[in-house]
Amino acid sequence: MEKQKKIESLQSLRGIFAFLIFLSHALMVNGGNPFSAGGDIGVAFFFVLSGFVLCQAHEQKAEAAGAEFSGQIGMPYGRFMLKRVVRIYPLHLLCWLWCVAIGIRYYRSFDLPIDLANLFLLQSWIPIPEYYYSVNAASWCLSDFIFFYLLFPVLLKWVVRQGKSFIATLAVLTITWCVASGFVPDAERPWAVYIWPVSRLLDFAAGMVLWQLTSRRRSSGSTTETKANLRQFAALLLCLGSFAALPLFDTDLTQSIFWWPAVLLTVAVFVRTGHTGLLGRLLSWRPFVAFGNVSFGFYLIHIPVINLSVLFLRRLIPEGGAEFLAAVLALSLAVSIAGSFLLARYYERPISRLILRRPPK
């Protein structure tokens, strides 16, 4: 139960990092990308957290069954993949249909090969921006997640049974990739570093390593208020410091691996401190947790909502000014938040229950 509470304490962080991704896209409506780092750290957080949480969830299932956790996923591989696909694909399909309709209606845009690659979540494997940022641009992450899920049962068994070997392999691959990325042609480097599922598997594996290290560490008892505050503010300062130091690093790796220290420390700290400490209590506020629970839907719909907000507001407010930007931010944020709650209740959960044959809660 204590572990579950600590995992739940991460839900608010999901919402916060999803909001940073939203800002990175919404602030682009007047041209430029003044907050691209918000999207970069947000993506890194979700990839790392996914590796961590999947490991934690299967460990808890083994504990609930009274068995020692040996790295087995506890279900047939097909059932595991079905659960993961049901988690992401129905909403992806809905957004795909929505974005294709917007493209045809407002931009007279439709390209069958590109749209089909996006529909089947193959876009991140194609090093062409028109493909990996196609239709609903945010869906490229789903292409990566499918790849992670396909490999997860093998990786889980490896990290549980041979943890030191897994960590050493990840360290070698990370260093090798940092060196090799400098030899990638300039045109392909943003794709290779930021989009390519093979390179972003390093983020997912880093989350698994973090789980392996924290799960094997025996807690000496509940964390005191003072220690919790110090750890939480250290994580916050490292995140802010990473934003401040970003201009000092002239490398494409600032889109991915650069954010590992801040992201890994943030996850580790809030898993350990839970609801203790000033920030822990703030993040345990029910509205924050509720938003975190629907942050996946928020992430997936926010770009089409921003696009529709621009199309609507340009009829009322002159484009390019601060007033237009503020209106787009307010409208698209409100609609994205409301839409994510409605979709979770009336679309995602009913479809999940129907396909997986779960009783309603």
Side-chain angles (χ1 to χ4, degrees):
M1 179 61 68
E2 181 63 23
K3 283 186 178 180
Q4 185 61 32
K5 287 182 179 179
K6 289 181 177 180
I7 291 298
E8 289 174 354
S9 71
L10 296 173
Q11 290 300 91
S12 294
L13 288 173
R14 290 180 189 266
I16 290 172
F17 282 94
F19 176 69
L20 293 180
I21 295 174
F22 164 84
L23 278 182
S24 73
H25 294 136
L27 292 174
M28 295 172 63
V29 299
N30 280 349
N33 194 355
F35 191 55
S36 61
D40 297 342
I41 192 174
V43 168
F45 174 84
F46 281 111
F47 284 161
V48 167
L49 186 66
S50 181
F52 181 94
V53 170
L54 273 179
C55 291
Q56 183 70 62
H58 287 281
E59 179 189 33
Q60 290 174 348
K61 289 178 182 178
E63 290 179 350
E68 182 178 352
F69 189 42
S70 61
Q72 300 290 344
I73 58 175
M75 65 183 72
Y77 182 74
R79 176 69 178 179
F80 167 78
M81 284 304 302
L82 176 64
K83 292 179 68 174
R84 304 319 306 168
V85 170
V86 167
R87 175 71 183 91
I88 65 175
Y89 198 80
L91 189 54
H92 165 64
L93 177 59
L94 181 66
C95 289
W96 185 89
L97 292 169
W98 179 14
C99 291
V100 167
I102 292 174
I104 294 174
R105 170 64 178 83
Y106 292 101
Y107 305 106
R108 303 294 188 267
S109 171
F110 183 79
D111 190 303
L112 185 61
I114 292 177
D115 292 348
L116 287 179
N118 186 284
L119 174 64
F120 294 108
L121 295 178
L122 301 173
Q123 69 271 42
S124 290
W125 295 97
I126 304 172
I128 303 172
E130 289 77 12
Y131 275 85
Y132 56 76
Y133 285 145
S134 62
V135 192
N136 181 12
S139 64
W140 71 265
C141 286
L142 306 186
S143 183
D144 289 39
F145 276 124
I146 290 294
F147 178 62
F148 303 162
Y149 298 152
L150 287 169
L151 295 181
F152 175 72
V154 175
L155 296 177
L156 180 64
K157 189 179 297 185
W158 184 6
V159 74
V160 170
R161 299 182 180 182
Q162 302 178 48
K164 292 182 179 179
S165 169
F166 190 93
I167 295 173
T169 302
L170 177 62
V172 170
L173 289 176
T174 301
I175 294 171
T176 302
W177 177 231
C178 289
V179 175
S181 64
F183 296 93
V184 178
D186 291 345
E188 282 77 37
R189 194 174 295 134
W191 166 78
V193 171
Y194 188 64
I195 302 289
W196 191 32
V198 174
S199 63
R200 298 319 296 255
L201 183 64
L202 296 176
D203 300 71
F204 183 79
M208 298 181 71
V209 166
L210 181 63
W211 164 81
Q212 200 266 352
L213 295 175
T214 57
S215 66
R216 299 298 169 85
R217 180 177 178 179
R218 299 301 177 186
S219 176
S220 58
S222 59
T223 305
T224 65
E225 185 78 7
T226 301
K227 288 183 178 180
N229 282 324
L230 289 174
R231 291 168 179 170
Q232 290 167 6
F233 278 100
L236 175 62
L237 288 174
L238 184 55
C239 289
L240 296 176
S242 297
F243 281 110
L246 185 62
L248 302 177
F249 295 85
D250 183 19
T251 170
D252 288 299
L253 291 172
T254 54
Q255 294 180 303
S256 55
I257 294 173
F258 172 83
W259 301 105
W260 280 14
V263 168
L264 291 169
L265 181 64
T266 298
V267 174
V269 163
F270 284 94
V271 164
R272 184 164 179 80
T273 59
H275 297 168
T276 308
L278 180 61
L279 294 180
R281 288 194 298 274
L282 178 63
L283 292 178
S284 67
W285 189 38
R286 185 169 295 180
F288 281 175
V289 176
F291 177 56
N293 288 334
V294 299
S295 57
F296 170 69
F298 175 85
Y299 167 78
L300 213 54
I301 69 172
H302 80 276
I303 290 182
V305 168
I306 291 171
N307 291 337
L308 286 177
S309 298
V310 170
L311 290 170
F312 172 73
L313 290 170
R314 66 171 39 154
R315 302 175 182 178
L316 307 175
I317 305 171
E319 288 188 71
E323 183 182 1
F324 181 77
L325 177 60
V328 170
L329 284 170
L331 179 60
S332 57
L333 180 61
V335 173
S336 295
I337 291 175
S340 61
F341 278 99
L342 291 172
L343 285 169
R345 180 170 182 178
Y346 296 108
Y347 180 74
E348 295 178 78
R349 292 169 190 162
I351 287 182
S352 178
R353 289 196 297 265
L354 178 64
I355 296 176
L356 300 177
R357 301 187 183 278
R358 292 173 174 168
K361 293 184 180 180

